[in-house]
Amino acid sequence: QVQLVESGGGSVQAGGSLKLSCATSGYTYSTYCMGWFRQGPGKQREGVATVDSDGTSAYRDSVKGRFTISKDNAKNILYLQMNSLKPEDTAMYYCAADPDCTNAHYALGTHGRDFDYWGQGTQVTVSS
């Protein structure tokens, strides 16, 4: 049974940093995409950052240069380092996995539509 568990959210002031973690278990697919998605109040879910099994990553334009997605394959943990946070980054952040995905850029554009496995989410609140 695949499980994804996020942690690391919280409340910070603008300009601050947070590092989200997603611990995965029961996931043994050799090809896949994993990603971070977010949904703010009254907004649709959007892709933040994705990475595929080749290590290629993709980011939405508004977070490029500020966020970094990474994987620790030995520990089965996906990370999202978020720096220079802005109030518009406030959202519930979700980790997700798609075993049928091979392209991080395509996966980002789906905003998670094709992702099969999801965590419960972790709240990020950025105050001005």
Side-chain angles (χ1 to χ4, degrees), residues 103-122:
N103 186 292
H105 291 277
Y106 175 80
L108 184 70
T110 69
H111 302 300
R113 180 188 64 229
D114 299 329
F115 279 62
D116 299 304
Y117 304 106
W118 292 83
Q120 82 288 351
T122 185

Side-chain angles (χ1 to χ4, degrees), residues 21-58:
S21 298
C22 174
T24 67
S25 62
Y27 200 79
T28 59
Y29 299 98
S30 59
T31 59
Y32 58 86
C33 292
M34 295 195 71
W36 290 96
F37 301 86
R38 67 187 182 189
Q39 187 164 17
K43 297 181 180 179
Q44 291 188 330
R45 186 176 63 203
E46 58 188 22
V48 177
T50 53
V51 61
D52 60 35
S53 51
D54 289 336
T56 300
S57 57

